[in-house]
Amino acid sequence: MGQSLTQKILKSHLVTGDLEEGNEIALRIDQTLTQDATGTMAFLQFEAMNLSRVQTECSVSYIDHNTLQTGFENADDHAFLQSAAARFGVYFSRPGNGICHQVHLERFAKPGKTLLGSDSHTPTAGGMGMLAMGAGGLDVAVAMGRGPFYLPNPKVLRVWLTGQLTDWVSAKDIILEVLRILTVKGGVGKIIEYAGPGVKTLTVPERSTITNMGAELGASSSIFPSDEQTLRFLEAQGRAQDWISLTADEDATYDEELAIDLSLLVPMVAQPHSPDNVVPVSDHVNQVVNQVAIGSCTNSSYQDLMRVSQILKGKHVHPDVSLVISPGSRQVLSMLASNGALTDLLDSGARLLESTCGPCIGMGQSPVSQAVSVRTFNRNFKGRSGTQDASVFLASPEVAAACALTGFLTDPRTLGLPPLVDFPERFRIDDSMILPPGDPTTPIRRGPNIRPLPLAPALNDTLDLPIILKLGDNVTTDDIMPAGSKILPLRSNIPAISEYTFHKIDAQFAAKAKDLKQSLIVAGHNYGQGSSREHAALAPMYLGLRVVLAQSFARIHRANLINFGILPLTFVNEEDHGRLKPGMILHLSNVHQAIQTPGSFVLTLSNDPNPILVRHDLSERQAKILLAGGLLNSTKYSVDA
Ligand code: MIC
Ligand code: SF4
């Protein structure tokens, strides 16, 4: 029987597990990436494992999130990461060189290989025919040491593309359409594989916009074949030798299928406050816009920004709109500078930002109170922009540029002739801001904000846990551990950052948790969707969270909970969620035996004779980790860095 593209890569990288069954599998990882907001933890963990040099084909450490240096903390993190990269054998992409996913695509991604990154948008490299997945920093640290990466054996969903995009409709509209159909839960447990005659009409950067936002579907990864378009991109990056042809067999079978005719798509927006809340932009044409932000790992490629510059050329941004642009990489920025497009952007009134994540993670450019902000980014969770009452719409660069000119949400098809951008024959290649692996004796530079890792206690056999918080569906890791310019500098200091746990939902959470000493959270479906930040597990663990009882979990967050000793349980009967209230005490007994036995077990409530039936769905490996109090404990590594 024929194989899908996904199956081919899974098979060639399988370490343990069975691809025919629904169990946990383990994969060999060829490349890793880390970024500065998750990387300090990953390297502290790598160091704690007493490993001396990375064992992958290539590992890269990027500085792109925490570049707003309002105090010593971020600069100290950069110095730590630079010294750790040199010592442990990792490439180091200096601040200003670009957003990790864009630079990785340009300079490192290779078809047919596996990539694990401590960032949820690592699947961006799926546009290159690579199996690229996001994970917590600890899993990436293990992979850097050549340990396998464990994940539930994924289902494969094929998206069959036919036709061709029409004028003013772009790759962002394709993934917004997929999000509209599948929702933010629709990809959980799946790899999304793109195929069909429409695929060859899309360039690698366009494909990567689509695979990037597969993270918003909750998918484990998204992938395109490696074909002539892939070769064209690699040739233009001076890397033709990295190309291989890789497609699914014609008779491959899939677990699920979806078909999209590209010629029927129209310009879309994701309305506040969820990336799947998608409608045509024409539904909102009278909506005033206060801010437009163009950039992020989703839409800041050379072609994206060239199209924006052509739309804005010779015109002026509406006086009531603030337009900010962050090019995805130094390569993109320098090409715009050398061909004059940057001048067109600046002349139009655009404000130029660094080639970093910037406003996407609330690092500056928070919009005005009650703003409507149109962003080419991938997440519009409430408050993520830094302005709690702002309404963020996600859109393509074409829609964003049109809004910047008119001051209203605008269907760009009303602007006349579309921009026409040629695919460059040669990108501008200058790797001087990527430092190669250095001397293994390089001393590690550790500023005062870089604190040792806390360890989880071993899981008790009997637990009496008060419910500290009860939540609904789709709680994000931004809800659990917010980001932004005030909190991100504390990423290397768990005691300090833990004070912000659930801060926007309950400002007293940290204080309450410390009073209770041990606690449990009740949640709905898709708990922990969004980013890979393990701080959303580490900080609650530090505050005494022992169990999360939810209807279902997002993959990366569930793995992070287990890695840091927090037991993830799901309801067997959905309606039991309604019976639970904050303050109630749940009693768990014989926990050790229960988590080592497949199937369900019961929790009892004080003052209620009806028990709550729950499942753990842990593999044997995961049960062992929990019994030991987390992955670092279970492998008996020393963490007194
Ligand atoms: C994000 O987009 O939320 C981030 C910031 O890139 C995160 C990583 C982090 O929290 O550091 C992600 O997507 O994993
Ligand atoms: Fe950076 Fe935003 Fe991409 Fe996350 S989603 S990596 S914050 S640009």
Side-chain angles (χ1 to χ4, degrees), residues 35 37-38 65 119-121 361 379 384 491 531-533:
Q35 42 89 338
T38 54
H65 283 63
D119 191 282
S120 65
H121 290 103
I361 189 60
R379 291 187 173 140
R384 184 171 156 107
R491 283 286 181 97
S531 97
S532 67
R533 66 190 68 150

Side-chain angles (χ1 to χ4, degrees), residues 231-559:
L231 179 60
R232 185 182 178 204
F233 180 83
L234 282 169
E235 272 172 345
Q237 290 287 354
R239 300 204 285 128
Q241 73 282 4
D242 290 341
W243 184 74
I244 54 163
S245 166
L246 197 60
T247 51
D249 293 333
E250 275 183 17
D251 56 345
T253 53
Y254 295 86
D255 298 297
E256 288 173 41
E257 305 245 8
L258 178 71
I260 294 181
D261 181 346
L262 301 180
S263 59
L264 299 180
L265 297 182
V266 297
M268 318 261 221
V269 284
Q271 308 167 107
H273 299 284
S274 181
D276 59 0
N277 194 7
V278 173
V279 293
V281 62
S282 53
D283 281 12
H284 283 283
V285 281
N286 292 323
Q287 176 61 61
V288 170
V289 170
N290 309 96
Q291 184 194 50
V292 172
I294 298 177
S296 91
C297 55
T298 318
N299 273 122
S300 57
S301 67
Y302 171 75
Q303 281 93 333
D304 282 338
L305 296 195
M306 281 306 293
R307 280 196 289 270
V308 170
S309 75
Q310 286 187 13
I311 297 168
L312 299 181
K313 188 178 169 120
K315 304 194 176 86
H316 286 108
V317 171
H318 189 280
D320 295 332
V321 176
S322 166
L323 169 64
V324 291
I325 297 182
S326 23
S329 66
R330 199 168 68 105
Q331 181 182 79
V332 173
L333 178 55
S334 65
M335 286 174 73
L336 299 176
S338 59
N339 70 10
L342 185 60
T343 310
D344 296 331
L345 292 172
L346 296 176
D347 285 353
S348 75
R351 299 164 66 181
L352 183 68
L353 305 177
E354 275 192 297
S355 294
T356 59
C357 302
C360 178
I361 189 60
M363 277 304 216
Q365 304 304 326
S366 297
V368 65
S369 291
Q370 299 179 344
V372 168
S373 176
V374 177
R375 300 175 160 218
T376 65
F377 306 168
N378 48 38
R379 291 187 173 140
N380 58 348
F381 305 145
K382 193 167 166 47
R384 184 171 156 107
S385 67
T387 301
Q388 198 56 25
D389 58 9
S391 296
V392 174
F393 288 76
L394 304 175
S396 68
E398 289 85 341
V399 169
C403 299
L405 290 177
T406 63
F408 290 92
L409 269 174
T410 301
D411 185 331
R413 292 174 299 180
T414 56
L415 295 189
L417 285 179
L420 268 183
V421 178
D422 290 333
F423 194 84
E425 282 200 0
R426 189 85 176 169
F427 288 96
R428 194 162 180 273
I429 298 161
D430 169 10
D431 289 335
S432 59
M433 282 181 75
I434 300 176
L435 308 182
D439 184 344
T441 61
T442 306
I444 302 284
R445 291 183 63 182
R446 216 179 304 268
N449 187 47
I450 298 176
R451 303 289 295 274
L453 289 163
L455 283 183
L459 195 66
N460 286 345
D461 196 35
T462 305
L463 290 164
D464 282 296
L465 298 175
I467 300 175
I468 185 167
L469 203 57
K470 181 176 172 187
L471 301 156
D473 290 347
N474 297 323
V475 168
T476 71
T477 51
D478 282 72
D479 295 323
I480 305 170
M481 177 49 73
S485 57
K486 292 197 191 85
I487 305 178
L488 274 174
L490 305 175
R491 283 286 181 97
S492 310
N493 184 342
I494 299 302
I497 205 170
S498 67
E499 294 297 319
Y500 292 94
T501 312
F502 285 111
H503 199 63
K504 289 183 179 158
I505 292 177
D506 177 359
Q508 299 310 313
F509 181 89
K512 274 191 216 160
K514 281 193 258 181
D515 275 357
L516 292 172
K517 297 206 166 49
Q518 297 202 91
S519 56
L520 175 148
I521 282 177
V522 173
H525 280 290
N526 203 22
Y527 179 75
Q529 69 156 330
S531 97
S532 67
R533 66 190 68 150
E534 53 193 359
H535 301 78
L538 250 171
M541 175 277 281
Y542 180 78
L543 294 174
L545 183 70
R546 297 288 167 257
V547 174
V548 179
L549 173 55
Q551 305 279 23
S552 63
F553 289 89
R555 172 187 63 89
I556 304 179
H557 187 60
R558 180 173 179 277

Side-chain angles (χ1 to χ4, degrees), residues 63-107:
I63 307 290
D64 56 358
H65 283 63
N66 267 342
T67 56
L68 208 61
Q69 291 154 231
T70 49
F72 65 92
E73 292 89 349
N74 291 345
D76 278 8
D77 282 358
H78 302 172
F80 167 79
L81 287 167
Q82 181 166 349
S83 62
R87 184 182 180 103
F88 298 132
V90 173
Y91 288 90
F92 180 73
S93 175
R94 302 187 64 196
N97 195 46
I99 304 174
C100 55
H101 308 303
Q102 175 68 25
V103 178
H104 208 83
L105 189 73
E106 292 167 357
R107 307 305 306 142

